[in-house]
Amino acid sequence: MNDVSPPQSRSFAFGPFVLLPERQLLTRGDLPVRIGGRALDILTVLVERPGAVIGKQELLSRVWPDTFVEEGNLKVNMAALRRVLDEPQGAAHYISTVVGRGYRFSAPVRYSSAFHHASNADTPASLNHNLPTATARIVGRQDAIDAILLELQEARLVSIVGAGGIGKTTVALAVAERWIGTCRDGVWLVDLSPLKDPNLVPNAIATAIGLTAHSSNMLEALSAFLRTRQMLLVFDSCEHIINGIASCADRILAEAPAVRILATSRESLRVKGERVRRLPGLGTPARTTELDAQSALAFPAIELFVNRATDRIETFSLSDAEAPLAAELCRQLDGLALAIELAATRVDAFGLSELIEQLGDRLRLLQGHRAGIERHRTLTATIDWSYDLLSEIERMVFRRLATFAGIFSLDSACAITIDEHLDRTTAVESIASLVAKSLLAAEMHDTQVEYRMLDTTRAYALEKLVANNELKRARQRHAEHCLDLVERATSDAERLTRTEWLVRYGPKTNDIRDAMRWAFTNADQTALGVRLTVTAIPFGKQVSLVEECRIAVQRALDDRFQAHRSIRDDLVLNLTLGATLLHTRGPLQQVKSCLTKALTIAEQLRDADMQLACLRGLSEYELWTGDSHSAIAVSRKIRLIESNGQVAISGGANAQAGSALSWLGALAASRQQLETIVQRPINQNARSDVARFEFDQRLTAQGSLATVLWLQGFPDQAVAVARRQLKEAEASNYAVSLCSALLHGSLIISMYVRDYDAAWTFLDRGLEHAQKHGLSIWRNMAMCTRGRMCLYANRPIDLAAYRDALAEVRDGGFRMRYPNYLANYAEAVARQGDLAGGLAAIDEAIALCESRGQVVGIPEILRIKGNMFRFQDPADPDRAEACYRRSIELARQGEALSWELRSAMSLVKLRRMHGGDNEAENMLSSTYDRFQEGFSTGDLVRARALIATRPGARREK
């Protein structure tokens, strides 16, 4: 008998907190507490046995089962846990450290258990921020935090300004954490310290917020996406590219009214509406103040020093005699948080008197020898002093780690520090020592500890790297590691969800940028640059920086680097350049040139898979330009390769040819080929789209098939296929495929069946999606379709905007749908009283269709032309009737039953205005009777109403 009883849920209550381990939840009062997964597991182990000492090894084995982790991970998570529990330094209300043994949960715990029924509350909330979990209690900044929180309510840009190392980022993160849950679209940290190019600021923001933008203008795409969003953006470390950041912030604030920005910088952004909060050093007592230990701890600078000293030596306690010395030390360090932390980490090696003496000497040496404000000189002197106290191995590790642009894992750190003179154990010990000495920051990112150098420390370390003639070798090791990293990222893209993948690899984007830039600016490393570019193409697709990928690929294809490219490199690079251009710029001639060059190489290499990829791209290009005959010719080449058994999965030719045939009006042949793709089980046709910028052939076929089915007179089947296409496109995680399903699938079919409520929904969603992903070409096509919708709904049309969108579609090479859009524009022009202008435009549309054989839409264009005569020149019905009858004739030739029905209805309406016509009435009835389904759709409902009101007809009961 199966046990179907609900699982047991335990509850541990202590102080104001309640821990529910099975629900992965810690609450304080009625509110959930933000806590990392590992920290919560540590708390669970401790509260299960309150009062008992839990050894470090037991904690490591319980919290990280089957995984080897360094003890430093435990310390970082324990610090984060203590901060969450709001434990004052040295006052262990909940967790006590038992020196040399482990940890003990000291507070009383109330335990209960109950059977837990799953509810919506148990479903993990979607990730709505990317803030690291703080690992240390913030000292002396509560007033500043509260003030900034108030300022953010009143102003949309608040800048925290102060010297390096003063604690700007700490305060900003504390403010941002308080905003979690208050913004509909989240709170997002944008670390700008690694950026060197101000033009990449929009890219960095897009990566941080998870925006996938297939655009050549990232700022435009970003602004369009943020326009309807409500979020807080935290711009950290702005000073080194402040003009670029200021320009970007100004644009966002102007176009996105519900977005707020919190910035940290050494100077203000000087943007309109900016509120500047200058962060002073932590408070220190005046020299004349009489101090004992208790009164000294009331000053934030001394409290911070004691906190960090206690982290270093658990038994440290400030005595009354040492209180004046601690005050003097903090005064010398100008209340700079980082400088105080660096000094506190050496309290185990020196007494307070010696610390003051050593630091005082160092500060005096720097006076007059380093530029910059006083506090910056103080910080530099403190870092300089801390560096000199490191062992030679620690210094070497410290220098090499400066090559990382952002956060990095322990494995990454080891990869670039370990060599023939340094093993992993020593490297790990050195990294742990640098963390303990505050020269390296450890951050909690849910279940993983990541490391980072603060920008001031990193700049110092890079100077030392140069001074020791190690920069080139360190950069090379970093670039080689990035090569390994992108290979691993490509492999993981197959098994991780997109969200998981982005959390893990998205922050590495700056390192890969830096590695590429360095390799191409060093003549003897360009081969590595080419390899890195080729290998990083799938990475570029995953982070959706398509335009950056295009630029990188173009650089690698420069003639200067030809000697460093293999023939396969040329193949991959040309294929990628053609595909990225197609998806961001449209079917330009350069697209065909690149894809043709790639195809030639693939044929030389006899690589059938790559030949198919090139041919699919060329077929897309020909279809988009409106040349269906050329697209069919390409599909024959695809079929030839597939028929030779050179590839595991065939059918690509059917997808391409089927779409092309539909535009040529060969509906029966088109449907036959498209159904071979669509009716195939998904798992048999699955193809990873991770490595290349391609459409999914099945999704493309579904969109074409839905249109063919409607044209043939099967509206219900068309709706079902479009619905299925949209569902699969939503699951594909590829922006262009979803845009196509929305705008060229569901929207078009909804319009055909006259479900205008659904059509407006799909149109608005498609427009938003195109803006979000920077798909300007698709946005223009959507704007043209919007004009058509406005005609149907009798809404006013902005002809100038319509004309601009039409021009962009035409100039982008999109001739496939251009005649349809032009016909709708013609109708709009005629409706505004310019019949001659409308007729000129619609005749141009018909001529374009006939010149390329794209005849499938001509019956509907002729019907629209007939309507223009009928409504704008009602005294002369002959011209309208001629258009309707020619439309019906062509629709019958192409077996487009739905076009035939529409024109038959229009003809009946016209003839009834002029006394009626039995032949036209009979034609409508005959056409209606040939339908087998779709009787609740718009055209059939209207046809039935017309037939029922036929003059002299008997009214049905």
Side-chain angles (χ1 to χ4, degrees):
M1 181 176 175
N2 293 332
D3 182 4
V4 293
S5 59
Q8 191 174 34
S9 178
R10 299 173 297 163
S11 169
F12 300 90
F14 50 92
F17 298 97
V18 176
L19 171 65
L20 304 168
E22 280 68 36
R23 295 173 61 184
Q24 286 288 289
L25 180 65
L26 177 68
T27 64
R28 181 170 189 161
D30 295 327
L31 299 176
V33 176
R34 191 164 81 90
I35 181 172
R38 300 297 190 191
L40 192 139
D41 290 343
I42 291 170
L43 179 60
T44 301
V45 174
L46 293 172
V47 299
E48 283 175 344
R49 290 153 59 189
V53 177
I54 312 296
K56 294 178 181 178
Q57 286 306 312
E58 181 180 350
L59 278 170
L60 289 169
S61 63
R62 286 281 305 276
V63 176
W64 289 273
D66 306 318
T67 305
F68 172 76
V69 294
E70 314 297 337
E71 191 176 310
N73 280 5
L74 178 59
K75 291 189 69 174
V76 171
N77 279 278
M78 189 64 73
L81 177 56
R82 281 175 159 152
R83 181 183 181 276
V84 164
L85 298 178
D86 201 22
E87 289 206 303
Q89 195 69 33
H93 292 168
Y94 299 110
I95 301 173
S96 304
T97 301
V98 182
V99 179
R101 296 177 61 194
Y103 302 93
R104 175 171 53 217
F105 198 82
S106 323
V109 176
R110 302 180 301 282
Y111 171 78
S112 64
S113 65
F115 288 111
H116 169 57
H117 295 267
S119 68
N120 291 336
D122 298 320
T123 305
S126 59
L127 185 65
N128 210 28
H129 68 87
N130 64 341
L131 305 181
T133 303
T135 58
R137 192 167 66 86
I138 298 172
V139 174
R141 295 300 189 193
Q142 194 57 53
D143 288 347
I145 291 168
D146 291 341
I148 294 167
L149 284 166
L150 286 174
E151 288 176 324
L152 268 177
Q153 297 289 344
E154 300 169 357
R156 293 178 50 223
L157 170 60
V158 177
S159 294
I160 305 173
V161 174
I166 208 160
K168 300 183 295 293
T169 301
T170 299
V171 170
L173 289 176
V175 171
E177 187 163 338
R178 296 272 289 274
W179 271 71
I180 293 175
T182 64
C183 291
R184 183 184 67 241
D185 299 301
V187 177
W188 303 100
L189 171 65
V190 186
D191 180 13
L192 296 163
S193 61
L195 283 190
K196 297 178 178 64
D197 183 352
N199 295 318
L200 292 178
V201 172
N203 301 54
I205 300 169
T207 300
I209 66 177
L211 167 62
T212 51
H214 301 252
S215 174
S216 57
N217 187 337
M218 184 61 78
L219 181 56
E220 182 69 32
L222 178 66
S223 300
F225 172 67
L226 292 176
R227 199 164 289 140
T228 58
R229 267 40 185 202
Q230 182 193 54
M231 63 172 62
L232 174 67
L233 299 175
V234 183
F235 292 175
D236 190 33
S237 300
C238 300
E239 56 276 343
H240 60 301
I241 47 173
I242 197 159
N243 291 333
I245 295 167
S247 175
C248 191
D250 194 36
R251 176 77 177 271
I252 291 170
L253 293 171
E255 298 196 17
V259 172
R260 296 175 188 272
I261 299 173
L262 178 62
T264 72
S265 178
R266 294 183 192 175
E267 58 179 301
S268 63
L269 301 187
R270 298 181 179 86
V271 171
K272 183 179 179 181
E274 177 185 24
R275 291 275 186 92
V276 177
R277 168 65 55 171
R278 298 197 179 276
L279 203 62
L282 291 171
T284 59
R287 281 190 169 84
T288 58
T289 306
E290 293 291 331
L291 287 177
D292 56 19
Q294 185 176 354
S295 59
L297 287 170
F299 292 91
I302 298 175
E303 184 185 1
L304 177 64
F305 176 83
V306 173
N307 283 354
R308 300 302 180 259
T310 306
D311 287 341
R312 184 68 174 164
I313 307 175
E314 293 169 350
T315 57
F316 178 83
S317 176
L318 185 69
S319 67
D320 290 341
E322 291 173 320
L325 298 175
E328 178 59 27
L329 177 66
C330 293
R331 279 193 296 268
Q332 284 195 18
L333 297 177
D334 297 319
L336 281 171
L338 179 56
I340 291 169
E341 290 183 4
L342 289 169
T345 63
R346 290 299 181 174
V347 75
D348 57 336
F350 310 103
L352 273 167
S353 297
E354 192 171 350
L355 273 177
I356 293 170
E357 183 179 344
Q358 289 205 14
L359 278 169
D361 290 343
R362 189 60 57 105
L363 288 167
R364 282 188 291 275
L365 282 171
L366 284 173
Q367 286 179 3
H369 295 285
R370 290 187 184 269
I373 61 172
E374 186 67 33
R375 280 203 171 98
H376 184 67
R377 290 204 298 270
T378 300
L379 180 59
T380 304
T382 311
I383 296 173
D384 207 29
W385 169 76
S386 299
Y387 175 79
D388 283 351
L389 293 174
L390 298 176
S391 70
E392 187 51 50
I393 290 177
E394 288 171 340
R395 290 179 199 166
M396 181 175 65
V397 171
F398 175 70
R399 293 192 298 266
R400 292 178 180 178
L401 293 178
T403 55
F404 284 110
I407 61 174
F408 52 91
S409 67
L410 184 63
D411 286 340
S412 290
C414 289
I416 69 162
T417 55
I418 294 173
D419 59 16
E420 62 273 14
H421 305 297
L422 182 66
D423 59 24
R424 181 181 175 91
T425 300
T426 307
V428 169
E429 289 173 352
S430 298
I431 291 164
S433 177
L434 292 173
V435 172
K437 293 165 184 174
S438 294
L439 288 167
L440 199 60
E443 297 178 353
M444 277 302 307
H445 290 264
D446 193 21
T447 60
Q448 188 170 348
V449 176
E450 299 273 4
Y451 301 90
R452 168 198 306 277
M453 270 192 183
L454 300 182
D455 53 343
T456 308
T457 312
R458 182 171 180 267
Y460 177 89
L462 283 172
E463 287 181 7
K464 290 297 183 182
L465 204 56
V466 172
N468 282 270
N469 295 316
E470 297 171 331
L471 181 63
K472 185 173 182 179
R473 176 58 183 150
R475 284 290 189 199
Q476 183 177 349
R477 290 174 66 90
H478 174 261
E480 290 168 348
H481 172 65
C482 286
L483 188 62
D484 294 337
L485 190 68
V486 292
E487 289 174 345
R488 189 161 65 249
T490 301
S491 175
D492 283 349
E494 299 279 3
R495 65 180 187 84
L496 298 177
T497 67
R498 178 169 174 76
T499 300
E500 291 171 335
W501 190 95
L502 284 173
V503 168
R504 181 172 299 183
Y505 291 107
K508 315 302 180 188
T509 305
N510 283 316
D511 278 295
I512 294 165
R513 279 193 192 115
D514 276 5
M516 283 188 191
R517 186 186 299 112
W518 174 82
F520 278 108
T521 52
N522 283 266
D524 58 344
Q525 296 297 325
T526 50
L528 177 59
V530 170
R531 281 186 64 206
L532 192 52
T533 302
V534 172
T535 310
I537 287 170
F539 186 97
K541 180 167 189 267
Q542 282 294 99
V543 294
S544 291
L545 296 176
V546 183
E547 180 66 5
E548 266 197 75
C549 188
R550 182 191 67 77
I551 293 169
V553 164
Q554 269 189 318
R555 177 177 56 194
L557 280 169
D558 191 289
D559 289 343
R560 293 173 297 164
F561 309 132
Q562 185 174 3
H564 303 299
R565 297 194 305 265
S566 68
I567 188 170
R568 182 164 291 278
D569 289 339
D570 280 338
L571 165 57
V572 173
L573 291 168
N574 276 288
L575 173 59
T576 303
L577 181 57
T580 52
L581 279 170
L582 182 63
H583 290 180
T584 58
R585 304 286 180 87
L588 307 173
Q589 184 59 40
Q590 189 184 359
V591 172
K592 187 171 185 177
S593 174
C594 291
L595 293 175
T596 302
K597 190 179 297 183
L599 176 62
T600 301
I601 299 171
E603 290 170 343
Q604 291 174 6
L605 296 175
R606 298 185 178 181
D607 187 327
D609 182 61
M610 293 298 281
Q611 287 178 53
L612 288 177
C614 297
L615 288 169
R616 284 192 293 263
L618 283 167
S619 182
E620 279 179 33
Y621 169 84
E622 301 294 4
L623 273 174
W624 288 17
T625 60
D627 191 346
S628 291
H629 292 293
S630 293
I632 289 172
V634 174
S635 75
R636 293 194 188 103
K637 295 180 181 180
I638 295 175
R639 184 173 285 111
L640 180 62
I641 295 173
E642 293 177 340
S643 65
N644 290 335
Q646 299 176 56
V647 291
I649 297 173
S650 62
N654 293 339
Q656 306 295 327
S659 297
L661 286 168
S662 71
W663 286 98
L664 295 175
L667 299 182
S670 168
R671 178 177 172 183
Q672 180 183 18
Q673 299 209 25
L674 293 170
E675 284 183 338
T676 62
I677 299 293
V678 173
Q679 293 176 359
R680 179 180 296 162
I682 295 177
N683 61 345
Q684 293 181 22
N685 194 47
R687 178 178 55 79
S688 169
D689 70 343
V690 166
R692 301 181 193 131
F693 295 89
E694 282 194 75
F695 279 118
D696 185 306
Q697 300 300 303
R698 175 187 172 87
L699 292 176
T700 302
Q702 283 178 320
S704 298
L705 179 60
T707 298
V708 169
L709 286 168
W710 183 84
L711 288 169
Q712 288 187 313
F714 301 101
D716 292 341
Q717 293 181 52
V719 170
V721 171
R723 194 172 289 150
R724 190 161 62 245
Q725 180 202 23
L726 180 59
K727 182 179 179 181
E728 292 180 19
E730 288 170 334
S732 74
N733 289 323
Y734 189 42
V736 182
S737 291
L738 181 53
C739 219
S740 177
L742 284 167
L743 297 175
H744 291 170
S746 294
L747 170 59
I748 298 298
I749 298 302
S750 296
M751 292 170 66
Y752 283 164
V753 300
R754 299 192 188 276
D755 183 355
Y756 295 137
D757 288 340
W760 280 112
T761 299
F762 291 128
L763 176 61
D764 290 341
R765 187 178 167 195
L767 269 170
E768 181 186 13
H769 185 75
Q771 290 172 338
K772 170 183 175 181
H773 296 277
L775 297 166
S776 56
I777 296 165
W778 290 85
R779 179 187 175 279
N780 290 325
M781 289 192 285
M783 291 302 294
C784 289
T785 308
R786 186 182 187 86
R788 184 173 169 187
M789 284 288 294
C790 289
L791 285 171
Y792 287 169
N794 291 315
R795 295 186 182 183
I797 297 177
D798 183 344
L799 277 181
Y802 200 160
R803 198 161 43 242
D804 290 343
L806 259 180
E808 293 201 38
V809 170
R810 182 195 62 227
D811 295 344
F814 276 91
R815 303 302 171 91
M816 177 172 64
R817 296 181 186 270
Y818 177 72
N820 298 347
Y821 301 146
L822 185 58
N824 295 132
Y825 172 76
E827 184 176 7
V829 170
R831 282 196 187 187
Q832 295 194 12
D834 183 4
L835 179 58
L839 290 173
I842 206 162
D843 287 341
E844 180 187 348
I846 293 171
L848 283 171
C849 290
E850 291 176 339
S851 68
R852 296 208 168 193
Q854 306 256 116
V855 299
V856 72
I858 291 181
E860 177 67 355
I861 296 175
L862 283 169
R863 187 186 74 84
I864 292 171
K865 184 177 180 180
N867 285 347
M868 289 161 59
F869 285 129
R870 176 173 144 214
F871 292 114
Q872 306 305 320
D873 189 14
D876 183 6
D878 292 345
R879 290 195 293 178
E881 182 170 346
C883 289
Y884 294 148
R885 290 190 179 278
R886 178 59 177 160
S887 170
I888 292 169
E889 179 186 355
L890 292 177
R892 286 175 175 171
Q893 290 175 9
E895 299 180 341
L897 184 60
S898 291
W899 284 159
E900 184 181 346
L901 181 69
R902 283 193 170 184
S903 292
M905 284 193 289
S906 294
L907 180 60
V908 165
K909 291 175 183 177
L910 173 70
R911 296 312 309 158
R912 287 186 185 181
M913 291 169 62
H914 298 276
D917 185 319
N918 279 330
E919 187 238 343
E921 300 282 355
N922 291 335
M923 186 188 303
L924 173 60
S925 296
S926 172
T927 305
Y928 177 85
D929 288 342
R930 284 152 55 200
F931 279 85
Q932 302 171 26
E933 65 173 56
F935 296 106
S936 63
T937 59
D939 283 346
L940 284 125
V941 169
R942 293 181 179 194
R944 192 161 59 248
L946 270 176
I947 293 169
T949 57
R950 178 177 180 172
R954 295 174 61 187
R955 186 180 298 275
E956 292 186 9
K957 189 175 180 179

